[in-house]
Amino acid sequence: MAATLYKKHPNEALFGGEKPFPLIPACEHFAGSEKLILKALSLQDSIGAVFDITCDCEDGAAAGQEREHAEMIVRVLNSEANKHQMAGARIHDYTHPGWKLDIDILVAGAGKVLSYITIPKCTDISQASEMIQYVQKIAKQNNIDRVIPIHILIETHGALKQVHEIATLPWLQVLDFGLMDFVSAHHGAIPASAMRSPGQFEHKLLSRAKTEVVAAALANGVVPAHNVTLDLKNAETTLSDASRARNEFGFMRMWSIYPTQIQAIVDAMKPNFDEVSDAANILLAAQNADWGPIQYNGELHDRATYRYFWEVLQKARLTRVDISTEATEAFF
């Protein structure tokens, strides 16, 4: 009986040991209090693991209660409520006296389950670098040998000026654009209306900033994440904002600050079903051709397009777009 022909997996055939692009949920939901964090974890369990949860120390902790707030996050993340282990935390900024305390408590207490740490309001790369080094130091002291992904908010003039250098920092997974603080930093030169659509996409200073953040992120294998939609309860507004962020600017992730925004963001960010079907068919044919060039619907495809379609297929799986049984069995 002839031996079964070995078929290379796309990861083996197409990437050759280079750094893989992070495959993480397209939605990041912020929750500041224990009640809201537990509610978000419950929602994550009911609708599926299609979004991350960011437990917020920066805006969530009352003044003087920083230690208790961080300890609460550790307790919740280590509890049975965190079934999917898809939750991170935003710490205080570099100028706040509690940022090291946040890291001490979060990394020591939940370093093995913490999905990421978000660093806000850096005005210079040296601040971001020092904070990352401190995370690494505390992880090592606590015998945590995993990389704890770092997310950095670009929301100041200094951070935007150095965004391409910031994007090269170690352990970095996401660059977030912080709209409200960025607008406020312009001393009225950008009107408040630009914190909403269509101004947030059309004002020249904002479109420039968003474009720079996305370009820097993607050039360094980092996920660019878009700011929040202020309209909390109109899912159509969120869907429109997320669609523009994804299709016009290239953002691949977006913040949610209200439960009804989550599904709208996921729907806007997920791949088109027709493209997913084509991706599955192209990759199956490519695998059968041992990843040499093929024709599909009269078009030539080779390793360059295979890489694109493999990421489409992985994002489809992450956002729960239907994938054919044959492709699922072959690749997942």
Side-chain angles (χ1 to χ4, degrees), residues 133-264:
Q133 288 173 19
Y134 193 74
V135 171
Q136 294 173 322
K137 173 185 172 182
I138 300 304
K140 185 176 182 179
Q141 288 178 357
N142 287 276
N143 298 314
I144 296 166
D145 56 9
R146 63 180 284 255
V147 169
I148 300 175
I150 301 296
H151 298 187
I152 294 180
L153 267 156
I154 305 300
E155 51 188 339
T156 67
H157 292 291
L160 181 64
K161 183 178 180 180
Q162 296 178 310
V163 68
H164 290 271
E165 291 76 30
I166 290 172
T168 67
L169 289 172
W171 289 19
L172 189 64
Q173 184 186 65
V174 171
L175 282 182
D176 300 291
F177 182 66
L179 176 68
M180 268 68 80
D181 278 291
F182 189 73
V183 170
S184 297
H186 281 74
H187 312 291
I190 302 175
S193 61
M195 294 186 185
R196 301 167 181 82
S197 295
Q200 67 159 317
F201 295 110
E202 296 175 358
H203 193 286
K204 297 298 187 292
L205 288 172
L206 294 180
S207 62
R208 164 187 166 265
K210 291 184 179 187
T211 301
E212 285 296 320
V213 169
V214 172
L218 295 178
N220 290 280
V222 172
V223 175
H226 193 259
N227 53 268
V228 300
T229 291
L230 292 180
D231 189 339
L232 299 181
K233 299 184 180 181
N234 188 335
E236 288 300 316
T237 301
T238 303
L239 181 69
S240 175
D241 285 352
S243 296
R244 292 197 69 177
R246 177 69 184 87
N247 297 322
E248 296 179 28
F249 288 84
F251 284 97
M252 306 179 81
R253 182 173 166 102
M254 181 167 161
W255 289 11
S256 157
I257 51 173
Y258 198 76
T260 55
Q261 295 183 334
I262 294 170
Q263 192 60 53

Side-chain angles (χ1 to χ4, degrees), residues 18-196:
E18 69 182 72
K19 174 188 173 184
F21 190 76
L23 285 166
I24 58 176
C27 179
E28 175 179 342
H29 180 68
F30 269 69
S33 68
E34 182 172 3
K35 176 184 175 182
L36 293 177
I37 293 169
L38 288 170
K39 182 178 179 181
L41 288 168
S42 176
L43 186 62
Q44 196 181 57
D45 192 45
S46 63
I47 70 171
V50 294
F51 67 98
D52 282 327
I53 298 165
T54 302
C55 307
D56 195 6
C57 290
E58 185 188 27
D59 291 336
Q65 299 294 312
E66 290 85 2
R67 175 180 292 276
E68 292 80 0
H69 193 81
E71 289 174 344
M72 174 274 293
I73 292 173
V74 167
R75 174 169 47 79
V76 171
L77 294 191
N78 284 318
S79 73
E80 292 183 358
N82 187 20
K83 295 179 182 178
H84 299 285
Q85 296 190 0
M86 293 172 59
R90 178 168 69 172
I91 63 175
H92 287 88
D93 73 89
Y94 185 81
T95 65
H96 192 284
W99 73 264
K100 286 186 176 180
L101 178 65
D102 287 343
I103 293 171
D104 291 342
I105 294 170
L106 291 168
V107 173
K112 294 183 179 179
V113 298
L114 198 64
S115 293
Y116 50 86
I117 290 175
T118 298
I119 296 173
K121 295 183 178 63
C122 290
T123 58
D124 188 88
I125 189 172
S126 63
Q127 296 176 355
S129 181
E130 181 181 340
M131 295 174 88
I132 293 172
Q133 288 173 19
Y134 193 74
V135 171
Q136 294 173 322
K137 173 185 172 182
I138 300 304
K140 185 176 182 179
Q141 288 178 357
N142 287 276
N143 298 314
I144 296 166
D145 56 9
R146 63 180 284 255
V147 169
I148 300 175
I150 301 296
H151 298 187
I152 294 180
L153 267 156
I154 305 300
E155 51 188 339
T156 67
H157 292 291
L160 181 64
K161 183 178 180 180
Q162 296 178 310
V163 68
H164 290 271
E165 291 76 30
I166 290 172
T168 67
L169 289 172
W171 289 19
L172 189 64
Q173 184 186 65
V174 171
L175 282 182
D176 300 291
F177 182 66
L179 176 68
M180 268 68 80
D181 278 291
F182 189 73
V183 170
S184 297
H186 281 74
H187 312 291
I190 302 175
S193 61
M195 294 186 185
R196 301 167 181 82

Side-chain angles (χ1 to χ4, degrees), residues 3-9 12 287 290:
T4 302
L5 179 65
Y6 174 70
K7 295 183 178 181
K8 288 184 179 179
H9 190 271
E12 180 186 4
Q287 189 183 56
D290 196 25

